[in-house]
Amino acid sequence: MLAPGQVRGTGTTPRSGAGRVSRRRGVIAWCFMLPLVVINVLVVLGPSVFALYYSFTEWSGIGAARWVGLANYAELAGDSEFHAALWHNILWTAFFLVVPMAMGLFGAFALTRIRRFRLLFRVVYFVPYIVASVVTAAIWQNLLSPDVGLGKVAGLNFFGSTTLALPTVAFVNNWAWWGFLVVVFLAAMQGVDPHLYEAAALDGAGPFRQFWSVTLPSIRPTFMFLGLMTIIWSFLSFDFVYVLTQGGPAGTTDVLSTLLYREAFASLRAGYASAIGVVMALISGVVVAVYLVMRSRKAWAI
Amino acid sequence: MTLSRRHFLALSGATALAPALAGCGDSPDGTGDIQFWSAFSDLQQQSYFQRTQVDAFRGSAAVRLTVKPSSVINRLTQTALAAGTGPDLVLTDGPAQVAAYANAGYLLPLEKYARQYGWDGVLAQWAMAASQVGGQMVSLPAGYETMIMLYNPATLAAHGWSVPTERGEFEAICVEAKAKGLMPVAAGNATWRAASEWAVTAALNHYAGPEAVYQALRGQIRWTDAIFVDTITLLSDYFQRGWWGGSVENYFTNSFPKLYAALASGAAVFMITGSWAFSEILPYFGEPAGNDARWDWAPLFPLRPEVPAVVWDLGVGSTLSINAHSRQPDAAAEYLNFLQTDPRRQAEGIAEAGLQPAPVQLTAADFPPGADERQSRLYIQLSNAATIGYTTWTFWPQETDTVLYTNFEKVFTGQLSAEEYLAALDAVFRRELALGKVPAAPPPQGLGR
């Protein structure tokens, strides 16, 4: 006697067969995922957990660590070099949220308005982004040199001045960065429905009004996402500062990442450096959390 | 023969893993060679070392030299030692790194081998003292260096100057050179940010004097002492007058190639640097540079009458130790003895490839014919040093040293006073002293063999 729904000869029900297929697909999917999971555990999760642990220790990076509780964080609170580096990071973030974002938006919008040479301009804007940062830094070091470059013409030492060095390094980094924003914004703008522009034009809207009332609202998710990533990347910036000034002159271009590097590898204070790293991660975490809340409330696509 | 899919995957994985795992072993070819990792400034130096110091070794085991980039050799060694592997002979860039390795238990005590090979009678006493961590000998200085003053004799002659032997003469030349639009001291830290500590090292040893520095390193006086305040104030004043690098701003953007070229062309008068510059400076003078410029050197002069006329600021450029996990420590010690103790081989290394010598007594007879007289003169005089000074990168603990050169920039840019700078330095030093992180320093007098 067969149970209701049981098929003779197979010994299984159609429902359980579908379940097995589904489970098998799940297993196969996890098999594909497994290398990625293993790599992430090994190179992201594992080191992150260790960094968190070492931030509560006094550790040279060599040998055993000594548990010191919150001492590293207490020291950070009173460390003038940390405060200065954090302030420089905030200035850096503000600069990158305004200048390259504005340049990227303007550049992309301008490119949507032209037909000839659009591809050429896209390539020209994008090339600095794919050039190695060390190469870009070396080029600008020569261009702005106080001995043979623009610095000599202007009578300024851009990288040697305690007031000019940070904005100059940010300028060089921006030169390599803004072309990337142009390309991403342009891709987003090309997805905007052309009928919206036609309707706006019929209503008498000029290019600026169209940009403000049609383009910007249409690319808002991209705009917000790049703003979020700009904040995160700004707090991780290292290469241009390290190559151009190594945090000098007199610490005026030190950012959290260069301070972390110096504490870990010059002062051999890996525990203290870990605490700086945790603070950097917390800042990025807060930014991501704010973005996710906004994304959820506003129902953005990305 | 057919292979199942499972066996095929297993074999593929094993094949891929085999070379990777083989690379993790401490003797990749399984021959029991002495493993030695090192870094060189150029290919000529590397091939010279391979020929004369590796292939020429006829000990109980062969040596396998693995060349690593100088920028990462410390980190690679550190990682390997932490994993319980790494080379038999451990190369470090100074006593601070040695102390960290020794405290982690990575290094083998060397007293037994020192007695066996009689190192005490061959190597300089200061080197033996600087080799200890917590009273135990764990390393040998593999290369040492000293601070000197480079100059172009033609530049001095053209302006009617002579090599200064005291502060008044030096300052008079600096004032006149600055007025003529010259750079009195070729200096800058664009290439190497820590270059500021060269100036601090010179000022501490030649103004405060080696005795005061020695006492401070032992914790007997504080870095906030008036003599150190005066030292830093004087040096900062020199920087602010534009004597170092031409101006405060230019100091931060002056690269070494530019400075060497300025010294050769006569645009700069002096350069206060280390003996390592002997090999770096060659492309800028004479035939390689297509000019007839030549260079010479003089010992640093005292900045106060109370300081001895000649003080040699000693620095350890590199050290060698034996890995605590070495399977053949006796063979490694035998090779260490071969590398360190033959004066003739040390002198040839200086003359032929610009290698830093081990701290052995050198005489003129040790140098090969045709050796650069300026180099041999330095090392012969250094071997007979009556008074030594202390380079900050060798005898200061790591964190204090970092604070020393990063914060000194804030002094001559006007962000910190000398008192504030030294108070911060002293606080960090006290902490490291209490933790036993200050490298052992020999006394300033009574050196040599």
Side-chain angles (χ1 to χ4, degrees), chain A residues 213-232:
Chain A
S213 300
V214 177
T215 309
L216 264 188
S218 302
I219 64 163
R220 189 171 50 198
T222 304
F223 182 78
M224 292 304 294
F225 177 73
L226 285 178
L228 165 88
M229 295 312 294
T230 296
I231 295 172
I232 293 173

Side-chain angles (χ1 to χ4, degrees), chain B residues 147-168:
Chain B
M147 295 297 292
I148 48 167
M149 184 169 68
L150 291 175
Y151 62 93
N152 180 339
T155 306
L156 295 187
H159 296 280
W161 298 324
S162 54
V163 177
T165 55
E166 49 92 23
R167 178 178 158 193

Side-chain angles (χ1 to χ4, degrees), chain A residues 19 31 59 65 81 110 114 121 124 153-154 167 173 194 198 201 223-224 231:
Chain A
C31 285
W59 185 46
E81 286 197 343
I114 62 170
F121 281 114
V124 168
V153 176
N173 196 345
E198 288 168 16
F223 182 78
M224 292 304 294
I231 295 172

Side-chain angles (χ1 to χ4, degrees), chain A residues 163-193:
Chain A
T163 50
L164 291 177
L166 185 66
T168 306
V169 177
F171 164 81
V172 175
N173 196 345
N174 177 44
W175 182 81
W177 170 241
W178 81 284
F180 170 75
L181 297 183
V182 168
V183 173
V184 177
F185 279 134
L186 183 62
M189 286 177 191
Q190 284 175 333
V192 179
D193 187 350

Side-chain angles (χ1 to χ4, degrees), chain A:
Chain A
M1 174 117 183
L2 296 175
Q6 193 175 356
V7 178
R8 187 182 298 274
T10 62
T12 57
T13 64
R15 182 182 291 273
S16 64
R20 198 161 61 183
V21 168
S22 170
R23 273 198 304 278
R24 191 175 170 192
R25 281 184 179 161
V27 168
I28 290 171
W30 271 107
C31 285
F32 279 106
M33 285 287 290
L34 198 59
L36 201 61
V37 171
V38 169
I39 288 169
N40 270 281
V41 167
L42 285 177
V43 304
V44 179
L45 184 64
S48 302
V49 171
F50 279 119
L52 185 63
Y53 165 72
Y54 283 121
S55 75
F56 297 108
T57 68
E58 182 174 306
W59 185 46
S60 67
I62 300 163
R66 187 170 66 89
W67 182 265
V68 293
L70 292 170
N72 287 331
Y73 292 95
E75 189 179 336
L76 276 183
D79 184 346
S80 59
E81 286 197 343
F82 173 75
H83 297 161
L86 183 61
W87 175 241
H88 296 154
N89 263 124
I90 291 169
L91 291 175
W92 188 273
T93 306
F95 174 86
F96 275 85
L97 277 176
V98 175
V99 178
M101 289 287 273
M103 289 172 70
L105 278 171
F106 176 79
F109 188 67
L111 284 182
T112 61
R113 300 276 148 168
I114 62 170
R115 293 190 180 280
R116 298 182 68 188
F117 304 120
R118 183 188 289 183
L119 181 64
L120 175 70
F121 281 114
R122 280 168 70 167
V123 171
V124 168
Y125 291 160
F126 196 69
V127 162
Y129 180 71
I130 58 171
V131 174
S133 49
V134 176
V135 175
T136 301
I139 291 169
W140 279 101
Q141 227 163 9
N142 281 296
L143 284 173
L144 298 174
S145 162
D147 302 312
V148 293
L150 292 172
K152 187 175 184 181
V153 176
L156 295 170
N157 191 327
F158 291 101
F159 295 113
S161 159
T162 52
T163 50
L164 291 177
L166 185 66
T168 306
V169 177
F171 164 81
V172 175
N173 196 345
N174 177 44
W175 182 81
W177 170 241
W178 81 284
F180 170 75
L181 297 183
V182 168
V183 173
V184 177
F185 279 134
L186 183 62
M189 286 177 191
Q190 284 175 333
V192 179
D193 187 350
H195 294 109
L196 294 174
Y197 290 110
E198 288 168 16
L202 284 174
D203 288 341
F208 179 76
R209 188 70 191 174
Q210 288 179 28
F211 173 76
W212 191 256
S213 300
V214 177
T215 309
L216 264 188
S218 302
I219 64 163
R220 189 171 50 198
T222 304
F223 182 78
M224 292 304 294
F225 177 73
L226 285 178
L228 165 88
M229 295 312 294
T230 296
I231 295 172
I232 293 173
W233 286 329
S234 293
F235 273 90
L236 296 176
S237 63
F238 175 83
D239 48 358
F240 281 98
V241 176
Y242 195 75
V243 173
L244 288 167
T245 60
Q246 300 171 66
T252 51
T253 59
D254 250 337
V255 287
L256 290 178
S257 56
T258 54
L259 179 64
L260 183 157
Y261 184 84
R262 195 166 63 242
E263 290 293 343
F265 299 114
S267 296
L268 290 184
R269 299 188 72 202
Y272 190 63
S274 298
I276 298 173
V278 169
V279 171
M280 291 168 70
L282 279 176
I283 292 169
S284 296
V286 167
V287 173
V288 171
V290 168
Y291 171 75
L292 289 176
V293 168
M294 288 178 68
R295 177 175 168 265
S296 165
R297 291 201 176 155
K298 306 272 184 182
W300 289 334
I302 59 168

Side-chain angles (χ1 to χ4, degrees), chain A residues 266-268, chain B residues 92-103 126-136 138-139 141 197 213-219 223 314-316 319 388-402 428-443:
Chain A
S267 296
L268 290 184
Chain B
T92 81
D93 58 5
Q97 191 88 27
V98 172
Y101 286 169
N103 291 332
W126 71 266
M128 298 296 284
S131 302
Q132 301 200 350
V133 174
Q136 203 164 42
V138 288
S139 72
E197 67 180 321
V213 173
Y214 180 63
Q215 287 176 19
L217 286 173
R218 291 169 65 87
W223 291 109
L314 288 179
V316 174
T319 72
I388 63 151
Y390 307 88
T391 56
T392 53
W393 56 95
T394 297
F395 294 105
W396 269 245
Q398 201 88 13
E399 189 187 350
T400 309
D401 183 43
T402 309
V428 178
F429 181 80
R430 290 276 139 191
R431 189 172 69 204
E432 296 203 291
L433 185 67
L435 292 169
K437 292 183 174 179
V438 180

Side-chain angles (χ1 to χ4, degrees), chain B residues 407-419:
Chain B
N407 277 9
F408 179 64
E409 294 177 9
K410 295 177 183 171
V411 179
F412 66 80
T413 53
Q415 298 173 39
L416 283 179
S417 67
E419 289 85 354

Side-chain angles (χ1 to χ4, degrees), chain B residues 16-338:
Chain B
L17 273 174
L21 290 174
C24 299
D26 56 355
S27 182
D29 57 2
T31 57
D33 293 347
I34 300 163
Q35 300 294 320
F36 180 36
W37 296 357
S38 193
F40 300 93
S41 59
D42 54 52
L43 278 175
Q44 187 240 338
Q45 203 176 65
Q46 179 185 327
S47 65
Y48 175 83
F49 189 90
Q50 177 74 46
R51 182 167 48 83
T52 62
Q53 321 234 4
V54 175
D55 299 342
F57 177 60
R58 298 280 178 269
S60 53
V63 177
R64 186 185 180 92
L65 173 70
T66 306
V67 179
K68 307 283 185 188
S70 55
S71 56
V72 293
I73 187 168
N74 276 342
R75 223 150 297 152
L76 293 173
T77 304
Q78 183 180 327
T79 308
L81 292 176
T85 173
D88 295 293
L89 274 190
V90 177
L91 183 75
T92 81
D93 58 5
Q97 191 88 27
V98 172
Y101 286 169
N103 291 332
Y106 295 164
L107 307 179
L108 205 65
L110 298 178
E111 275 89 359
K112 171 185 150 190
Y113 300 113
R115 282 192 300 275
Q116 181 180 340
Y117 292 108
W119 288 339
D120 200 28
V122 180
L123 299 169
Q125 287 304 307
W126 71 266
M128 298 296 284
S131 302
Q132 301 200 350
V133 174
Q136 203 164 42
M137 184 183 190
V138 288
S139 72
L140 287 183
Y144 73 112
E145 56 208 14
T146 188
M147 295 297 292
I148 48 167
M149 184 169 68
L150 291 175
Y151 62 93
N152 180 339
T155 306
L156 295 187
H159 296 280
W161 298 324
S162 54
V163 177
T165 55
E166 49 92 23
R167 178 178 158 193
E169 292 172 13
F170 171 71
E171 290 185 352
I173 293 173
C174 288
V175 168
E176 200 179 330
K178 188 71 182 157
K180 289 179 174 178
L182 303 178
M183 190 189 295
V185 178
N189 75 345
T191 310
W192 177 244
R193 192 176 174 196
S196 303
E197 67 180 321
W198 305 347
V200 179
T201 288
L204 286 173
N205 288 291
H206 299 268
Y207 184 88
E211 190 62 51
V213 173
Y214 180 63
Q215 287 176 19
L217 286 173
R218 291 169 65 87
Q220 293 165 344
I221 59 172
R222 308 289 291 254
W223 291 109
T224 48
D225 193 282
I227 190 68
F228 299 122
V229 174
D230 291 347
T231 303
I232 296 303
T233 304
L234 178 75
L235 184 62
S236 174
D237 182 52
Y238 286 172
F239 271 76
Q240 288 171 345
R241 290 180 188 215
W243 292 358
W244 255 253
S247 73
V248 168
E249 289 192 349
N250 286 351
Y251 175 81
F252 291 112
T253 51
N254 286 340
S255 64
F256 294 158
K258 173 189 164 184
L259 296 171
Y260 291 139
L263 202 63
S265 70
V269 186
F270 303 116
M271 176 181 267
I272 292 174
T273 182
S275 48
W276 59 81
F278 284 171
S279 55
E280 293 178 9
I281 204 169
L282 295 178
Y284 301 90
F285 285 82
E287 197 179 326
N291 60 35
D292 59 356
R294 60 180 294 274
W295 58 272
D296 208 335
W297 67 271
L300 296 185
F301 49 86
L303 288 164
R304 276 196 315 141
E306 294 82 359
V307 175
V310 178
V311 175
W312 299 97
D313 309 328
L314 288 179
V316 174
S318 57
T319 72
L320 284 171
S321 302
I322 298 179
N323 189 339
H325 288 97
S326 170
R327 292 182 184 174
Q328 43 206 347
D330 294 346
E334 187 185 6
Y335 181 53
L336 191 55
N337 183 60
F338 168 83

